Amino acid sequence: MAALVLPPECRVGRALLRLDCVDSTNAEVKRQAAQNAPDGLVVTARRQTAGRGRAGRSFHSPEGCGLYLSALLRPQLPPDAAAHITAWTAVAVCDAIFSVCGVRPQIKWINDLILNEKKLCGILTELLLRDGRPEGLVVGIGINVNHRPEDFPPELRATATSLSTELGHAVDMEELTRALIVALDRLYADFPAQKDDYLNRYRAQCLTVGRPVRLITPAQTREAIALDIDEDFRLLVELPDGTREAVGAGEASVRGRNGYL
Ligand code: BTN
């Protein structure tokens, strides 16, 4: 694979591991972190055999179609850093896609990017622990880039799309990878001082706000209206009895009342 040329000041991607095939780029970053990999390490793969999504789901990762990338970040961690970084990453990925493709996806709270009402990208942030203490984050991003509809398994075809499908032409994977690393590097330099900027842009691009939603936990499913994103990137909802609640990432899975959105 040709070397990817990044701006010399980039901390994210200075150490770069590009693989043809791996179980999961998040898992590989964790293995590298256990061997004292440098801050900002990026791992990409053309294919994942065990790509991971949130809530224990798998992430379908066929060869050459998608951009599968994970980065090791060791920010000064406030307690909710993982949720914050996931939301910040959604904004950064939208920037990268816009800069290369000229289209700006929307954000389905908290970690899915949506284009024309279908899922384009997922983000999985995992906390790294050493001796029980947080020592960093793995930020994993999977973008559907050049999938044809038949590259998705049948059960995903109604809800998933790719950049090439929506744009009507193939997208240069290397250009997008470079733009994504540059956007992640900017995010890392901005974190946490530029929170207001990322929060405002997250709110502006979040399509969940204003919609009826279903809050799903193992114990129950509740109907609600999504009102806003609060200062901690939690989803502020109103329940049918008028009470309001802030839902954090990991507390509930959120679906549209009539389907995925
Ligand atoms: C989701 O949609 O629930 C999150 C999907 C995250 C997928 C990416 S692909 C690169 C990285 N490696 C993984 O195993 N998962 C993330």
Side-chain angles (χ1 to χ4, degrees):
M1 207 174 288
L4 197 70
V5 181
L6 293 167
E9 65 278 9
C10 260
R11 185 167 31 149
V12 176
R14 194 168 295 161
L16 182 58
L17 182 58
R18 311 210 65 197
L19 303 171
D20 267 331
C21 182
V22 72
D23 51 354
S24 148
T25 53
N26 270 31
E28 180 60 29
V29 165
K30 286 184 181 175
R31 289 189 287 267
Q32 296 283 334
Q35 310 287 322
N36 296 317
D39 192 18
L41 168 75
V42 166
V43 175
T44 67
R46 283 175 47 75
R47 179 163 83 96
Q48 299 184 114
T49 55
R52 300 209 294 246
R54 289 182 77 226
R57 287 188 282 267
S58 62
F59 187 79
H60 181 65
S61 311
E63 177 158 9
C65 301
L67 199 169
Y68 317 118
L69 179 149
S70 300
L72 170 63
L73 305 180
R74 292 193 175 102
Q76 294 303 315
L77 286 171
D80 289 335
H84 285 211
I85 288 268
T86 300
W88 285 51
T89 301
V91 174
V93 180
C94 287
D95 286 348
I97 290 173
F98 183 72
S99 73
V100 173
C101 304
V103 291
R104 191 171 281 283
Q106 292 175 290
I107 301 168
K108 174 182 171 289
W109 186 87
I110 184 166
N111 71 324
D112 286 347
L113 299 194
I114 305 297
L115 193 55
N116 298 334
E117 305 269 306
K118 291 186 171 184
K119 177 163 171 170
L120 181 71
C121 166
I123 298 164
L124 175 66
T125 305
E126 297 183 88
L127 197 59
L128 274 180
L129 297 173
R130 185 173 288 207
D131 301 328
R133 277 201 225 104
E135 68 134 4
L137 296 170
V138 183
V139 179
I141 299 155
I143 308 177
N144 302 330
V145 181
N146 287 323
H147 297 57
R148 299 159 301 171
E150 59 269 30
D151 292 320
F152 292 106
E155 66 275 15
L156 292 183
R157 282 181 202 156
T159 53
T161 193
S162 68
L163 284 168
S164 63
T165 300
E166 299 304 323
L167 297 170
H169 60 78
V171 170
D172 185 328
M173 194 79 80
E174 290 302 283
E175 198 188 343
L176 188 58
T177 304
R178 182 183 184 283
L180 181 57
I181 294 173
V182 168
L184 287 174
D185 186 65
R186 190 174 320 122
L187 172 162
Y188 203 20
D190 287 346
F191 189 84
Q194 302 303 321
K195 179 181 156 192
D196 287 352
D197 175 46
Y198 281 78
L199 182 59
N200 289 337
R201 293 196 292 138
Y202 189 95
R203 283 176 171 149
Q205 291 172 71
C206 183
L207 57 59
T208 310
V209 170
R211 296 200 185 206
V213 291
R214 227 166 234 151
L215 308 173
I216 305 162
T217 63
Q220 57 177 348
T221 295
R222 292 179 300 163
E223 310 284 327
I225 302 282
L227 297 179
D228 202 355
I229 305 295
D230 80 2
E231 295 281 312
D232 285 315
F233 295 93
R234 289 177 304 190
L235 188 67
L236 190 63
V237 298
E238 187 170 279
L239 298 161
D241 66 1
T243 55
R244 293 183 174 191
E245 223 174 80
V247 182
E251 285 170 22
S253 146
V254 171
R255 289 276 175 279
R257 229 177 259 176
N258 301 315
Y260 176 64
L261 294 181

